[in-house]
């Protein structure tokens, strides 16, 4: 299965004010540009780690030889924008379980070699508190360790506490 994410709203899991509060920076604007970069990087790390879209986006999937599958990237939204399932120029009928996030194409509509495209909206309109806390902790770690490596820590690593917090929403 191949996927493409388009039209993703800006990934702003936490605000500059929230990050500065986490870092105990009160009346200074000196590091604002750097902190904004950390917010972006930490949000991207959290999104990659959780395998969830942390802001709304359109997801397109392309596959063959499947009739039932899990929709990736988090809570798929079938309303107000409906999920579409197309093979060639033919709209396919399907069932979608919004609890399990499993989409099943109704019988005898496709063969094993038919290419199927699924388009749907997914992602959070507002990040859960556990995601915000995980992102804030990553920001703190990156802010305090501005070098490429530090004893026992590299920038490529997500700190243990952040992983535990983000694990709550990880797929």
């Amino acid at each position: 299965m191949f996927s493409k994410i388009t039209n993703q709203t800006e990934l702003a899991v936490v605000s500059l004010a929230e990050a500065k509060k986490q870092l105990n920076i009160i009346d200074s604007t000196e590091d604002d540009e750097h902190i904004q970069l950390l917010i972006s990087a930490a949000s991207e790390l959290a999104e990659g780690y959780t395998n969830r879209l942390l802001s709304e986006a359109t997801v397109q999937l392309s596959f063959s030889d499947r009739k039932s599958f899990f929709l990736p990237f988090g809570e798929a939204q079938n309303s107000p924008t409906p999920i579409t399932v197309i093979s060639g120029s033919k709209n396919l009928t399907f069932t979608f379980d919004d609890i399990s996030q499993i989409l099943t194409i109704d019988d005898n509509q496709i063969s094993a070699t038919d290419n199927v495209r699924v388009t749907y909206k997914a992602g959070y309109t507002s990040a859960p508190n556990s995601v915000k806390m995980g992102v804030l902790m990553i920001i703190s770690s990156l802010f305090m360790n501005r070098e490429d490596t530090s004893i026992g820590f590299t920038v490529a690593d997500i700190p243990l506490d952040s992983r535990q917090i983000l694990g709550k929403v990880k797929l």
Side-chain angles (χ1 to χ4, degrees):
M1 181 181 322
F2 299 97
S3 63
K4 180 179 180 181
I5 298 169
T6 60
N7 302 322
Q8 187 170 13
T9 57
E10 184 177 339
L11 187 58
V13 176
V14 299
S15 67
L16 179 61
E18 290 170 316
K20 288 175 79 170
K21 186 173 183 178
Q22 172 75 11
L23 298 170
N24 291 319
I25 298 174
I26 298 175
D27 291 326
S28 174
T29 59
E30 184 177 318
D31 286 322
D32 283 4
E33 188 175 325
H34 180 67
I35 295 168
Q36 196 61 58
L37 177 64
L38 295 178
I39 292 169
S40 296
S43 297
E44 289 172 10
L45 283 169
E47 190 171 68
Y49 179 75
T50 62
N51 294 320
R52 288 187 176 268
L53 293 171
L54 299 181
S55 63
E56 290 184 304
T58 300
V59 178
Q60 296 174 323
L61 304 176
S62 178
F63 59 90
S64 57
D65 197 26
R66 291 186 187 188
K67 289 189 174 197
S68 185
F69 52 91
F70 174 78
L71 294 182
F73 304 114
E75 302 292 318
Q77 304 164 10
N78 198 18
S79 169
T81 306
I83 297 169
T84 60
V85 183
I86 298 171
S87 179
S89 61
K90 180 173 69 171
N91 284 327
L92 305 178
T93 58
F94 62 91
T95 56
F96 174 67
D97 184 336
D98 62 346
I99 295 172
S100 67
Q101 299 287 294
I102 294 177
L103 185 140
T104 304
I105 298 170
D106 296 343
D107 286 337
N108 302 321
Q109 295 185 81
I110 57 172
S111 69
T113 59
D114 288 345
N115 186 45
V116 176
R117 288 188 175 250
V118 177
T119 303
Y120 63 98
K121 294 268 188 189
Y124 291 113
T125 54
S126 177
N129 288 334
S130 58
V131 171
K132 286 185 174 199
M133 192 67 237
V135 168
L136 288 170
M137 293 184 75
I138 293 169
I139 290 167
S140 295
S141 294
L142 293 173
F143 187 80
M144 300 306 287
N145 298 287
R146 293 185 183 210
E147 301 300 321
D148 193 25
T149 59
S150 186
I151 297 174
F153 177 77
T154 68
V155 176
D157 293 332
I158 294 179
L160 178 61
D161 290 341
S162 301
R163 281 185 282 158
Q164 290 175 328
I165 291 169
L166 292 171
K168 181 175 172 71
V169 297
K170 184 177 180 179
L171 289 175

